[in-house]
Structures are given as structure tokens and as C-alpha cells.
Amino acid sequence: MNKKIGLALGGGSARGFAHIGVLKVLLENKIPFDYIAGCSMGSLIGGIFAAEENLETLESLAIVFDSKKYFDITLSTSGYVKGNKVQELLKLMTKNINIEKAAIPFSCIATCVEDAKLHRFTSGSISEAVRASISIPGLFTPYEIDGKTYIDGGVIDRTAIRATREMGADIVIAVDVSYRGEPLEKPKTVIDLLQDTFTISEWYLTQAYWKEADVLVLPEVHDIKGSEYKDTQKIIGRGMQAAEAALPDIKKALGIK
């Protein structure tokens, strides 16, 4: 087909491992996509996959991922996790290549603090762009690139749908793995309170962005906390289930019988 297809991978912390399950189903069913854009955890999964199209290695890493090993705690007043170890892992998994050399055209989004705007990274180091995109306020310390301070793209748009469209996609398949209005537990810590505040505000923004996607893939991961990185295989399985359920809509949008 002549139309360009984009995959938008949204933020959602540990729930973002569901993106791997979605990618598995799309590849198994030979669903083509020309672009990948991501926000926060979606940028991490998307960036690693786009670099070399090696889903097997990405899945293997996800299954053994230990947040205690890679979340380097700091006493900084701007965040609890420095993010240096995660960035080193990103460099390793992407062979430290630039976005311009990715096997699949890739971009990711982060929020620039100084100008209060969403920035779409289309060049430069994948690891640096992703590190900026995953800078969840209150958890990760902000990340600086070229004198600008960046925090999580989800502050403005967790879906990356518009970013995918801006890459040139005619058809956008969006995967949303984050909060969708379910009841929240009473926060027990200041981190819980900060995350809940962020979660609620982004949900109201997200509903408007959803309308701009051609197909939505919505893994059922609401029962899994964003901080739970221990049950990755279950999360990946949820992504697969959602993608399989969405296949008829995807094929219809793409004109595939």
C-alpha cells in the first residue's frame, strides 16, 4: 500500500512492557509499519526496537530487568533516580547509535521545561533522547540536552500520536498502556501522591489525543502498578492479547483482508 503506517507507543512505566507483546503480534501477522514514535516507556521500548529490529533481545532483557539494579537512587531534590544506569543500558542495547541511523525511522517526545513545549527528538543519540523522554517528574531527575532541561513527554502528551503523524504517517496505530480512569488506591508515600497527580492530569489530556489515532490498542494492565517491574511476562502477554483483539480493526484500517 502507498500509505505510510506509524506506531505510537505511549508512556506507562512498567506497564509499557506490554508494547513488546503488541510488537510480537504485529510482526507475526506481517503488519507493516514505517515509523515508530514513543513517549516515556514507549520511547524506551520503541527506541531499542527501532535501532536494530531485534525483538527477541529486547524481550529477553525485559524479562530479566531488575529495577533495583538499574534505578540508581540519589539524594537530589529534583528526583529520586539519577538515570545514569538506565542510560548506559540504553547505549548498550542501541549500540549507542543516533536516531538517524535507526533501522526503523524513530522519534520520541519530551517536555522542555524552559519553554513549556513538547519537543520531538528526530536526531542525535537515541539513548539521550529516550533518557529525556522517561524523566518522570519526582522520580527521575530531569535531563539536560544542549542547555535545555527535559522532563517526561507525558506531562503534555503520553500517547505520541501526533509525533507519529508528524513523522509522515497516514495511518497511526496507537498503543496506550497507562491509566484510563480506574479507581486509584489511597497514596501511601509522597512518590505515590506525585505519580497519582501526574496520572490523573495526563488522563484528561489523553482522551483528546485518542481521537487522532486510526486504531487504538489498549492492553488491560490497569491492575498492574507502574512501579511493578517483576512480572514482565504477564505484562507482555497482556499486550499480545490486546493486539490480537485489535487485529481486525488494524487490517481494516490498512486495507488488508
Side-chain angles (χ1 to χ4, degrees):
M1 62 183 300
N2 294 325
K3 291 186 177 181
K4 298 293 184 179
I5 303 162
L7 189 60
L9 304 180
S13 299
R15 296 170 176 175
F17 285 127
H19 292 314
I20 297 174
V22 174
L23 285 167
K24 286 184 70 172
V25 171
L26 294 181
L27 293 174
E28 287 170 0
N29 286 273
K30 296 181 171 55
I31 302 297
F33 42 91
D34 303 282
Y35 309 107
I36 298 177
C39 175
S40 199
M41 190 61 168
S43 74
L44 188 148
I45 300 298
I48 293 175
F49 178 71
E52 292 191 303
E53 295 186 84
N54 191 334
L55 188 61
E56 185 176 344
T57 300
L58 175 55
E59 183 176 8
S60 297
L61 167 69
I63 290 172
V64 300
F65 182 80
D66 183 353
S67 61
K68 293 179 181 179
K69 179 179 178 181
Y70 291 106
F71 283 11
D72 40 2
I73 304 301
T74 176
L75 297 177
S76 170
T77 57
S78 60
Y80 286 95
V81 180
K82 287 190 292 186
N84 293 346
K85 291 184 178 180
V86 171
Q87 190 172 358
E88 287 303 313
L89 178 63
L90 281 164
K91 288 181 180 178
L92 178 65
M93 295 299 294
T94 62
K95 295 188 176 179
N96 202 25
I97 65 169
N98 282 357
I99 291 173
E100 300 95 317
K101 294 188 177 181
I104 300 173
F106 170 74
S107 72
C108 67
I109 53 178
T111 303
C112 180
V113 174
E114 284 82 0
D115 62 17
K117 293 180 180 179
L118 199 64
H119 180 83
R120 183 167 62 92
F121 291 95
T122 58
S123 62
S125 166
I126 291 178
S127 65
E128 287 203 57
V130 171
R131 172 61 183 86
S133 184
I134 66 172
S135 301
I136 301 171
L139 180 59
F140 279 86
T141 58
Y143 193 71
E144 187 172 304
I145 298 176
D146 296 331
K148 297 288 187 179
T149 307
Y150 293 96
I151 56 177
D152 196 299
V155 171
I156 296 177
D157 175 14
R158 79 183 188 201
T159 69
I161 292 170
R162 288 185 183 175
T164 314
R165 195 77 72 182
E166 288 168 2
M167 292 181 75
D170 300 298
I171 297 173
V172 175
I173 301 169
V175 188
D176 194 348
V177 296
S178 200
Y179 176 73
R180 301 198 286 270
E182 306 87 8
L184 294 171
E185 294 181 4
K186 184 177 181 179
K188 298 177 181 178
T189 67
V190 65
I191 290 292
D192 290 340
L193 181 59
L194 283 169
Q195 289 184 331
D196 286 351
T197 303
F198 182 44
T199 293
I200 293 168
S201 62
E202 73 171 20
W203 166 234
Y204 280 89
L205 291 170
T206 298
Q207 294 175 73
Y209 288 117
W210 270 9
K211 298 175 183 177
E212 300 179 20
D214 295 283
V215 182
L216 282 171
V217 181
L218 304 173
E220 292 295 337
V221 287
H222 64 275
D223 59 323
I224 299 168
K225 291 183 179 180
S227 58
E228 293 181 357
Y229 288 86
K230 59 185 178 180
D231 209 353
T232 306
Q233 287 179 307
K234 179 170 78 173
I235 301 173
I236 292 173
R238 298 282 183 85
M240 293 182 68
Q241 291 170 6
E244 287 166 355
L247 272 177
D249 289 335
I250 293 172
K251 290 181 178 180
K252 182 180 180 180
L254 272 53
I256 299 173
K257 295 182 179 180

